[in-house]
Amino acid sequence: MKITVVTVCYQAENTIEETIQSVLAQEYQDMEYLIIDGKSTDRTMEIVRQYANDARVRVISEKDTGLYNAMNKGSREAQGDYIIFLNSGDIFADKNVLADMAPHLIKDIVFGNVVRRFKNREILEKYPGKQVVLWLLLQGKMMSHQVIFTKTTVMRRYGFDETYKITADYDFLVRVRRDKCSMQYVDRTVSIVENCEGISSVPANLEQMRKEDDRSLKRNFPGYYYLLKPVKYVARKRKRSQQ
């Protein structure tokens, strides 16, 4: 079972090396590592080139139109049976993650646990079961994409809708859940994710995220969307008044 790990990066000189070392430290051998760079002008590529001679590593550095455009590029280039995205600055929980998850890679989507790392604390999140996934999506939440192993054929079929600038990964999960793609939860911590930065962690992006989430939910689960619309309106209005 070949696994493709994809890291999308741009101007990531401060974070890229930790991620690369985490991936290349994996004990699982049947792996390829794609680094998709957006034509960085800092030291990112200087650091990446230090690891480019590793037979598992393939590097693409060229202009793209954003995060999800680069992730779609990674999907098209992937040669593995399954694909997982690990952002620059994020790391695997330990060196045995891929070896432990590989035997479970049968369903379309296989996912584990994540540790979210904030400035002053770490939080372990678990997502047991498909119903939990749907409940998260209805709330505008999702499993971290850094813990999701997706069949490469499924990833290419659905892809990331690049009209969503912040939450295309959420929309991807909504669509595969709508179409009842098979899913399996594994109680294993996969990744440690940096939650201090990133487009979805910026408070100024909150309203745009909500609009995109609502658009995806309305398209794919209209019944749930209209049922939850008044509840979300009240909850969001209350939250704004408390800020």
Side-chain angles (χ1 to χ4, degrees):
M1 182 68 65
K2 188 169 188 174
I3 300 172
T4 299
V5 182
V6 177
T7 293
V8 167
C9 60
Y10 179 68
Q11 307 294 71
E13 63 180 8
N14 295 324
T15 57
I16 188 65
E17 190 158 30
E18 182 182 24
T19 303
I20 293 173
Q21 291 177 350
S22 169
V23 175
L24 297 184
Q26 291 298 300
E27 295 287 344
Y28 190 73
Q29 293 302 305
D30 200 359
M31 175 198 80
E32 69 164 349
Y33 186 29
L34 299 184
I35 301 175
I36 311 293
D37 175 69
K39 207 67 176 177
S40 294
T41 57
D42 63 357
R43 293 184 57 252
T44 299
M45 284 306 298
E46 178 184 333
I47 296 168
V48 168
R49 289 190 190 100
Q50 297 175 22
Y51 300 90
N53 289 331
D54 190 305
R56 296 168 292 177
V57 177
R58 282 197 289 143
V59 180
I60 298 173
S61 182
E62 59 189 24
K63 290 284 188 180
D64 55 53
T65 58
L67 173 65
Y68 297 112
N69 178 256
M71 292 172 77
N72 279 332
K73 187 185 302 180
S75 300
R76 292 191 298 270
E77 292 288 335
Q79 297 176 357
D81 302 289
Y82 279 79
I83 185 169
I84 181 171
F85 294 91
L86 198 67
N87 296 348
S88 181
D90 302 329
I91 59 175
F92 283 124
D94 56 66
K95 65 181 181 180
N96 294 310
V97 169
L98 297 186
D100 290 348
M101 293 297 291
H104 300 282
L105 299 183
I106 300 171
K107 306 289 188 180
D108 295 326
I109 304 281
V110 181
F111 55 96
N113 308 324
V114 67
V115 172
R116 294 193 182 275
R117 184 167 58 188
F118 296 86
K119 289 181 180 179
N120 57 357
R121 70 191 193 282
E122 292 185 350
I123 298 175
L124 173 65
E125 290 185 0
K126 298 186 175 186
Y127 323 96
K130 288 188 292 186
Q131 295 310 312
V132 170
V133 173
L134 180 58
W135 178 237
L136 282 172
L137 295 173
L138 293 177
Q139 295 178 78
K141 302 177 182 178
M142 59 172 283
M143 311 95 75
S144 169
H145 67 247
Q146 293 94 329
V147 304
I148 300 173
F149 295 81
T150 306
K151 275 186 180 178
T152 305
T153 53
V154 172
M155 180 60 70
R156 287 177 182 155
R157 186 191 319 153
Y158 287 88
F160 296 105
D161 184 341
E162 295 174 34
T163 64
Y164 293 84
K165 301 304 180 185
I166 301 177
T167 63
D169 47 356
Y170 170 85
D171 173 70
F172 167 80
L173 278 178
V174 169
R175 287 183 286 123
V176 298
R177 185 65 180 82
R178 174 203 64 198
D179 291 350
K180 296 182 172 58
C181 289
S182 58
M183 294 187 176
Q184 180 181 352
Y185 165 71
V186 179
D187 189 6
R188 208 291 186 197
T189 301
V190 173
S191 301
I192 300 173
V193 171
E194 181 62 60
N195 259 68
C196 299
E197 299 180 4
I199 56 176
S200 62
S201 303
V202 179
N205 290 333
L206 181 59
E207 285 303 315
Q208 181 65 24
M209 287 172 59
R210 287 172 173 171
K211 289 178 181 178
E212 291 188 2
D213 288 351
D214 287 348
R215 175 159 65 101
S216 179
L217 200 61
K218 185 177 181 180
R219 278 182 174 181
N220 298 289
F221 289 98
Y224 283 124
Y225 167 78
Y226 287 108
L227 180 66
L228 293 173
K229 187 176 181 180
V231 178
K232 285 186 176 182
Y233 174 80
V234 172
R236 290 171 180 175
K237 187 175 182 180
R238 183 179 300 154
K239 190 169 184 177
R240 289 192 197 98
S241 67
Q242 293 172 348
Q243 292 174 344

